[in-house]
Amino acid sequence: MSPRDLLLAFVVILVWGVNFVVIKIGLHGIPPMLLGALRFMLAAVPAVFFVKRPAIATRWLIAYGATISLGQFAFLFYAMAVGMPAGLASVVLQAQAFFTVGLSALFLHERFRAHNAAGLIVAACGLALIGEQGGDAMTLAGFCLTLCAALMWALGNIVTKKAGKADMLGLVVWGSLVPPLPFLAFSWFFEGPDRIHAAFTSIGASSVFAVLYLSFGATLVGYGLWARLMSRYPAAQVAPFSLLVPVLGLASAALLLDEVLTLPQITGAALVMAGLLINAFGARWRTKAA
């Protein structure tokens, strides 16, 4: 990988790692469902007029938007609104890797290998430790909703595989047309017109920054650069960089939000990361050992 592209990879990881802190900041002034609506409205428009529609069937485009965009972030935003710390959210959300492996075996008939099982067991122990030792900083509802977000992300990964090869940036931009109306409906029903009106009339600079960051930074810039790297290099060379997202998520939450983890939570996060490493590199390690 060239030095320039290596730098771009770290830019993406930085943008996505800090993303969880920005969500927490945005939720201080905007209710979660309204925040989701604003994020994807700005991610879709005006980009949809400049980015070519991906060459996939409409049903897959809608399914992608309904899972990775609507489902994942409806659960994640609400989880963080009801007590999921930003740093731990970045770690627990990585359970999507194991949900993806299981769903791929179920729906795509891909083999579930020994290193996948080993990584799953290690990460599951870590998640159980995090869930059990939530303490005052994390609620059980927030933890469970984050796991639901991870499941929706995994379902979106299966949709992407079933849809076939597609331009990632186009898929993200056109898929962003799906969530705004459902998010607005959820906001009207769960949050009510009074909260929506109050959010707009008292919106502050930090809330505006959060919406712009989530729309253009985390969504368009992040996925745009990621798609560029995936098109230039083998997936096995690019994908491991995503393992740094929860590391930066924890670091940025500690630095910017003063989040402090207990020893059991740190241990649980370390086990999740170890499980991810086994899942990502287990086959390569077995081959070298053999």
Side-chain angles (χ1 to χ4, degrees):
M1 187 176 288
S2 70
R4 180 183 177 183
D5 287 339
L6 187 62
L7 177 62
L8 291 179
F10 281 110
V11 168
V12 174
I13 300 312
L14 177 62
V15 168
W16 283 349
V18 178
N19 171 63
F20 295 89
V21 170
V22 176
I23 292 172
K24 205 73 171 179
I25 292 172
L27 290 170
H28 287 316
I30 304 174
M33 298 300 103
L34 182 60
L35 181 62
L38 294 175
R39 171 181 181 160
F40 287 103
M41 279 193 288
L42 289 180
V45 181
V48 74
F49 298 111
F50 302 99
V51 177
K52 186 178 179 181
R53 184 188 187 279
I56 62 173
T58 301
R59 68 180 184 276
W60 294 122
L61 187 61
I62 294 173
Y64 177 88
T67 51
I68 276 190
S69 300
L70 175 62
Q72 178 187 183
F73 290 102
F75 282 121
L76 179 62
F77 285 5
Y78 199 72
M80 296 180 69
V82 297
M84 189 65 181
L88 287 180
S90 69
V91 175
V92 174
L93 194 63
Q94 300 309 311
Q96 62 83 20
F98 302 102
F99 286 136
T100 299
V101 170
L103 292 173
S104 295
L106 182 62
F107 294 112
L108 304 179
H109 307 294
E110 295 182 0
R111 291 186 62 185
F112 190 81
R113 302 179 184 275
H115 68 274
N116 299 133
L120 174 60
I121 292 170
V122 173
C125 291
L127 290 172
L129 191 56
I130 292 173
E132 182 183 359
Q133 300 292 331
D136 296 333
M138 186 190 78
T139 63
L140 180 59
F143 176 76
C144 294
L145 287 169
T146 306
L147 285 178
C148 290
L151 177 59
M152 296 304 294
W153 183 355
L155 285 170
N157 291 337
I158 302 303
V159 169
T160 304
K161 289 188 176 185
K162 294 285 285 185
K165 290 185 178 181
D167 173 62
M168 188 63 186
L169 180 59
L171 188 60
V172 169
V173 170
W174 283 80
S176 294
L177 289 171
V178 176
L181 288 179
F183 264 125
L184 285 174
F186 291 156
S187 182
W188 187 271
F189 183 79
F190 292 110
E191 295 159 355
D194 291 339
R195 287 190 68 188
I196 296 173
H197 180 265
F200 280 118
T201 55
S202 62
I203 192 167
S206 60
S207 297
V208 173
F209 165 76
V211 172
L212 293 176
Y213 184 99
L214 294 173
S215 302
F216 298 108
T219 304
L220 298 183
V221 173
Y223 280 103
L225 293 178
W226 191 255
R228 171 191 171 116
L229 294 172
M230 292 293 280
S231 67
R232 289 189 171 192
Y233 301 97
Q237 187 175 355
V238 179
F241 281 98
S242 64
L243 295 173
L244 295 174
V245 171
V247 176
L248 285 177
L250 286 168
S252 60
L255 180 64
L256 301 175
L257 299 178
D258 296 323
E259 289 187 0
V260 179
L261 301 183
T262 64
L263 181 59
Q265 288 173 337
I266 294 173
T267 304
L271 286 173
V272 172
M273 293 302 301
L276 289 170
L277 287 170
I278 294 171
N279 186 64
F281 301 108
R284 190 181 307 176
W285 293 339
R286 287 184 64 190
T287 300
K288 286 185 178 181

